Amino acid sequence: MAKIDDVAKLANVSKGTVSNVFSQKRPTSNEVKERVMSVSRQLNYVPNHIARSLVTKRTMAIGLTIPHGSFFFSAFHTQFINGIILEASYYGYRVLLDMIPLQKVQTPFLSSYPIDGAVVMSPTKDDERINLMHSEQIPFVTVGRVMNSNVTNAYNVDNDNHTIIYRICKYLIDKGHQNLMFLNANELMTVSIDRKAGFIKAMEDHHLVVEEHMIHHKPDLSSSEYMDYGYEETINILGKQMKNVTAIIADDDRTAFCVLNAIKDLNLRVPEDVSIFVICGDLSMMVQSNPSLTSMDLQPSELGAQSVKLLMNQLGVLQGDFPGNVIIESKIIERNSCSTI
Amino acid sequence: MAKIDDVAKLANVSKGTVSNVFSQKRPTSNEVKERVMSVSRQLNYVPNHIARSLVTKRTMAIGLTIPHGSFFFSAFHTQFINGIILEASYYGYRVLLDMIPLQKVQTPFLSSYPIDGAVVMSPTKDDERINLMHSEQIPFVTVGRVMNSNVTNAYNVDNDNHTIIYRICKYLIDKGHQNLMFLNANELMTVSIDRKAGFIKAMEDHHLVVEEHMIHHKPDLSSSEYMDYGYEETINILGKQMKNVTAIIADDDRTAFCVLNAIKDLNLRVPEDVSIFVICGDLSMMVQSNPSLTSMDLQPSELGAQSVKLLMNQLGVLQGDFPGNVIIESKIIERNSCSTI
DNA sequence: TTGTACGCGTTATCAC
DNA sequence: GTGATAACGCGTACAA
């Protein structure tokens, strides 16, 4: 591999000049520029990323911290990641997939982290990954609200989860539904905490009693029930005639499909017998479903893009005065899975 | 940030000794080891990853080369990536998401590649990304067959696509279907080339004529029709009564859902009127579908894991004599979407 | 505008 | 088993 010295020698210039030609941090004459580039091509030279990082103290990579374990991306995550990559590459940054255990952080790091910053997905209450980022002084942005006692002023991008679930409930209640079942996200996630609160508030405001069968939480990623979440719950609750649930709010597309399947097995129809509302559904998939599913567009791609913007701002790559908390708009997209009673 | 010199000085040892304690490449006395670790904790020292890379010439990261553009992960990709990450982390490697344009490679790189090797997804015929890897001397493994004239002896992991489609056709033909429609992957992908050949061979062996309406190719990722692939095709072909298609082979789960939707709009039933067979479906999703879909298990997770193993072998991390081409087993999983005529 | 000496933090290679 | 020193390849002051 050709080094900068080789190019400098052959092009009859100094190392510094070659460096300037590539980094473009200082102007160089066109003549010299041409000569250097020509020699570089000839020698197959490209600046060494590692050596450059050593002195610039930038790796030009950000970490995408995803839940550890046999993780599963729903369509929501997919589009979210898409947004991250596109935005990061816009600033010349690469994305490093990073799996830090969610529960207990491993023993001390063997070496420093080769990233300039990180986007932390699905934060939990007292998330140890966030504590880690904090103590390691790694700039980070979370997607979802931070609930770590010792970490304050963390940058984050989020939907307004409290309002989201409130609006969904209102939407259904306005259609005459009084007995809702909410298939919430995993209990540890901060989003699920906010959504639960929003659900309860909506019930109270409409003078409805929150019963035990109304709120469920997605099992742990490692659980065998994870993939089926929504099926058993639907069978159990709707199977018992005394619990007259008429509408189900599903956390994501996978959950929604499981619910659909359970409803079919119970010989019920959507939306005639039961209505379904999906929160984080892949929009195109919702249309292809049968019936098409009414859902809340959370703009996952935008969520990803904005989180990168905030991170770039912290890294000094993107100038400007940015707010610490960005709320991404969401809106209800009506399709054919919710009926009026 | 504490440096190795600081630790060495405070622990009354040399830089080299501190290095040895951390890298464990040479034995050190327990007494010294304790002292060094104690001081390191005190100073909050961790070895600098970049500086280490500069001399070891290893970044401990591999690239995952995914198609560029507004890409979309199907469930297949998701599980594939899962396999990659899990296996890579086993060897202490991280995964860098890498989006190199599929069609035309950008102008010369601004700097060298900060990865030790790469896994290239979805290779196309004369894939420029592969030419790039080849010319840049980056060790790589493709997932799918390589069809680049100048690149020979490339390591790759794959399913036996020719046989896969042959077996699917035979399975359907044995059930009495004579008029199949095959919704193939994108025309550029080498997998689609192999599968097309397998389809034609199966038809010939069973003395069936391959008609134009039988083989379709997924539109480009950038196309607006990408997300709907399967819908229009089904409407068009099954809508015309003269084309008496009785079974459809769908490339992936998304395509299958679009087909299901079209069939519903045509007031036909699965599997009574039309049978559906899915190739790369997320297994758990196939079960939740209605009806559950008969599919081919391609073991995407295993595909990912094996590709990393092959890469690690090239990198010298994993010892042993590995074959250049690994074929991952696949098997038909019967569910309720294919009927006997 | 261009050339030079030095620093970045670590590992490898010798001596001891 | 441990200590000193030379790379590793590039960026950046500072001098010319």
Side-chain angles (χ1 to χ4, degrees):
Chain A
M1 207 90 255
K3 308 186 294 183
I4 198 171
D5 288 297
D6 305 333
V7 176
K9 207 163 290 175
L10 211 75
N12 260 323
V13 291
S14 72
K15 289 166 65 166
T17 304
V18 177
S19 175
N20 288 336
V21 169
F22 275 92
S23 70
Q24 302 184 346
K25 295 214 171 170
R26 296 203 182 294
T28 39
S29 72
N30 268 329
E31 187 204 355
V32 170
K33 201 177 295 182
E34 288 290 327
R35 202 163 68 231
V36 168
M37 289 311 286
S38 160
V39 172
S40 297
R41 266 191 296 274
Q42 185 186 325
L43 262 47
N44 220 320
Y45 167 79
V46 278
N48 183 307
H49 186 97
I50 309 294
R52 175 179 279 176
S53 288
L54 188 60
V55 38
T56 60
K57 303 203 175 304
R58 288 178 167 281
T59 63
M60 300 307 284
I62 59 175
L64 176 58
T65 306
I66 54 186
H68 181 266
S70 182
F71 78 96
F72 180 83
F73 288 141
S74 75
F76 176 84
H77 290 135
T78 296
Q79 291 177 245
F80 170 75
I81 292 175
N82 199 5
I84 295 259
I85 296 185
L86 249 37
E87 190 69 20
S89 67
Y90 177 78
Y91 297 102
Y93 269 79
R94 293 198 172 86
V95 178
L96 192 63
L97 244 34
D98 226 340
M99 254 180 7
I100 302 183
L102 217 149
Q103 300 286 13
K104 60 168 177 232
V105 172
Q106 295 169 336
T107 37
F109 280 138
L110 288 72
S111 78
S112 66
Y113 237 52
I115 51 173
D116 297 340
V119 173
V120 179
M121 284 175 71
S122 313
T124 63
K125 195 167 180 325
D126 296 319
D127 198 318
E128 297 216 26
R129 304 170 303 167
I130 292 176
N131 287 337
L132 185 72
M133 297 285 167
H134 187 68
S135 65
E136 295 278 324
Q137 313 244 43
I138 300 173
F140 69 94
V141 173
T142 66
V143 180
R145 196 155 68 83
V146 174
M147 296 177 71
N148 284 41
S149 52
N150 54 331
V151 179
T152 168
N153 290 336
Y155 282 62
N156 70 295
V157 175
D158 202 356
N159 297 109
D160 185 348
N161 288 296
H162 192 284
T163 302
I164 281 174
I165 204 75
Y166 190 97
R167 283 173 53 206
I168 293 175
C169 289
K170 182 165 170 20
Y171 173 84
L172 291 168
I173 292 169
D174 285 350
K175 279 181 170 292
H177 298 275
Q178 306 247 337
N179 199 333
L180 314 179
M181 179 163 91
F182 176 30
L183 295 167
N184 202 350
N186 187 287
E187 199 160 15
L188 294 170
M189 307 289 150
T190 61
V191 284
S192 80
I193 297 171
D194 291 345
R195 288 182 186 163
K196 183 176 180 177
F199 184 85
I200 293 172
K201 184 71 163 61
M203 289 298 150
E204 284 175 354
D205 286 0
H206 292 86
H207 312 293
L208 295 171
V209 180
V210 180
E211 293 184 59
E212 183 142 11
H213 70 273
M214 290 182 168
I215 304 182
H216 302 260
H217 290 278
K218 189 183 286 189
D220 202 68
L221 216 50
S222 57
S223 164
S224 61
E225 295 153 28
Y226 180 82
M227 287 300 193
D228 291 332
Y229 178 54
Y231 185 87
E232 284 300 328
E233 287 78 0
T234 303
I235 293 285
N236 286 341
I237 306 301
L238 269 71
K240 297 176 188 165
Q241 303 299 351
M242 60 271 220
K243 305 295 183 191
N244 193 26
V245 170
T246 59
I248 298 176
I249 304 170
D251 173 58
D252 62 12
D253 35 25
R254 172 172 296 264
T255 307
F257 283 120
C258 294
V259 169
L260 277 173
N261 208 28
I263 289 174
K264 180 196 123 207
D265 286 353
L266 288 169
N267 282 316
L268 297 174
R269 294 157 304 164
V270 178
E272 293 83 351
D273 302 314
V274 191
S275 292
I276 297 185
F277 197 112
V278 186
I279 305 182
C280 308
D282 172 3
L283 296 184
S284 68
M285 209 70 150
M286 298 296 93
V287 176
Q288 298 303 341
S289 169
N290 177 2
S292 63
L293 300 171
T294 292
S295 62
M296 183 67 91
D297 180 9
L298 263 37
Q299 301 199 72
S301 173
E302 189 63 18
L303 222 40
Q306 288 298 329
S307 63
V308 170
K309 276 212 172 73
L310 239 55
L311 190 55
M312 290 299 141
N313 183 238
Q314 276 191 74
L315 297 179
V317 174
L318 178 57
Q319 304 296 332
D321 210 22
F322 280 73
N325 303 321
V326 173
I327 299 296
I328 304 296
E329 288 300 309
S330 54
K331 70 163 184 284
I332 292 176
I333 303 199
E334 292 196 278
R335 297 205 187 80
N336 306 312
S337 63
C338 295
S339 64
T340 304
I341 294 183
Chain B
M1 205 87 259
K3 310 185 293 185
I4 199 170
D5 287 296
D6 305 332
V7 176
K9 207 163 290 175
L10 212 76
N12 259 322
V13 291
S14 71
K15 291 165 65 165
T17 304
V18 177
S19 176
N20 289 336
V21 169
F22 276 93
S23 69
Q24 301 183 348
K25 294 211 172 171
R26 297 205 181 294
T28 39
S29 72
N30 270 329
E31 187 204 356
V32 171
K33 200 177 296 182
E34 289 288 327
R35 202 163 69 231
V36 169
M37 289 310 286
S38 160
V39 172
S40 298
R41 266 191 295 275
Q42 185 186 325
L43 263 49
N44 219 321
Y45 165 79
V46 278
N48 183 306
H49 186 96
I50 309 296
R52 175 179 280 176
S53 288
L54 188 59
V55 42
T56 60
K57 302 199 176 307
R58 288 176 168 284
T59 63
M60 298 309 282
I62 59 175
L64 177 57
T65 306
I66 54 187
H68 181 267
S70 181
F71 79 96
F72 179 83
F73 288 142
S74 74
F76 177 83
H77 291 135
T78 296
Q79 292 179 244
F80 170 75
I81 292 174
N82 200 5
I84 296 258
I85 295 185
L86 249 35
E87 191 69 20
S89 67
Y90 177 78
Y91 297 102
Y93 269 78
R94 293 196 173 87
V95 178
L96 193 64
L97 246 33
D98 225 341
M99 252 180 9
I100 303 184
L102 219 150
Q103 300 286 14
K104 62 168 177 235
V105 172
Q106 294 170 336
T107 38
F109 280 136
L110 289 70
S111 80
S112 67
Y113 238 53
I115 52 173
D116 297 340
V119 172
V120 180
M121 282 175 72
S122 313
T124 63
K125 194 167 182 326
D126 296 318
D127 197 319
E128 297 217 26
R129 303 170 303 165
I130 292 176
N131 287 338
L132 185 73
M133 296 285 166
H134 187 67
S135 66
E136 294 279 324
Q137 312 244 44
I138 299 174
F140 70 92
V141 172
T142 66
V143 179
R145 196 155 68 85
V146 174
M147 295 176 70
N148 284 42
S149 51
N150 54 332
V151 179
T152 167
N153 291 336
Y155 283 60
N156 72 295
V157 174
D158 202 356
N159 296 110
D160 184 348
N161 288 296
H162 191 285
T163 302
I164 281 174
I165 205 75
Y166 191 96
R167 282 172 53 205
I168 293 175
C169 288
K170 181 165 171 20
Y171 172 84
L172 291 168
I173 292 169
D174 285 350
K175 280 180 169 295
H177 299 275
Q178 306 247 335
N179 201 333
L180 314 178
M181 179 163 91
F182 177 31
L183 296 168
N184 203 351
N186 187 286
E187 200 160 15
L188 294 171
M189 307 289 150
T190 61
V191 284
S192 81
I193 297 172
D194 291 344
R195 287 181 186 164
K196 182 176 181 177
F199 183 86
I200 293 172
K201 184 69 163 60
M203 289 298 151
E204 284 176 356
D205 286 0
H206 292 86
H207 312 293
L208 296 171
V209 180
V210 180
E211 293 183 60
E212 184 141 10
H213 71 272
M214 291 182 168
I215 303 181
H216 302 260
H217 290 279
K218 188 182 287 188
D220 202 68
L221 215 50
S222 57
S223 163
S224 61
E225 297 154 26
Y226 180 83
M227 288 300 193
D228 291 332
Y229 178 54
Y231 185 88
E232 283 301 327
E233 287 78 1
T234 303
I235 294 285
N236 286 342
I237 306 301
L238 268 71
K240 298 176 187 163
Q241 303 300 351
M242 60 270 222
K243 305 296 182 190
N244 191 27
V245 170
T246 59
I248 298 176
I249 304 169
D251 174 57
D252 62 12
D253 34 25
R254 172 172 295 264
T255 307
F257 282 120
C258 293
V259 169
L260 277 174
N261 208 27
I263 289 174
K264 179 196 122 205
D265 287 354
L266 289 169
N267 282 316
L268 297 174
R269 294 157 303 164
V270 178
E272 294 82 351
D273 302 314
V274 190
S275 292
I276 298 185
F277 197 111
V278 185
I279 305 182
C280 308
D282 173 3
L283 297 184
S284 68
M285 210 71 149
M286 297 297 93
V287 176
Q288 299 302 343
S289 168
N290 178 1
S292 63
L293 300 171
T294 293
S295 62
M296 183 68 90
D297 179 9
L298 264 36
Q299 301 200 75
S301 173
E302 188 63 18
L303 222 41
Q306 288 298 329
S307 63
V308 171
K309 276 213 171 74
L310 239 54
L311 190 55
M312 289 300 139
N313 183 238
Q314 275 190 77
L315 297 179
V317 174
L318 178 57
Q319 304 296 332
D321 210 21
F322 281 73
N325 304 322
V326 173
I327 298 296
I328 304 296
E329 288 300 311
S330 54
K331 70 163 185 284
I332 292 175
I333 302 198
E334 292 195 277
R335 297 204 189 79
N336 306 312
S337 63
C338 295
S339 65
T340 303
I341 295 183

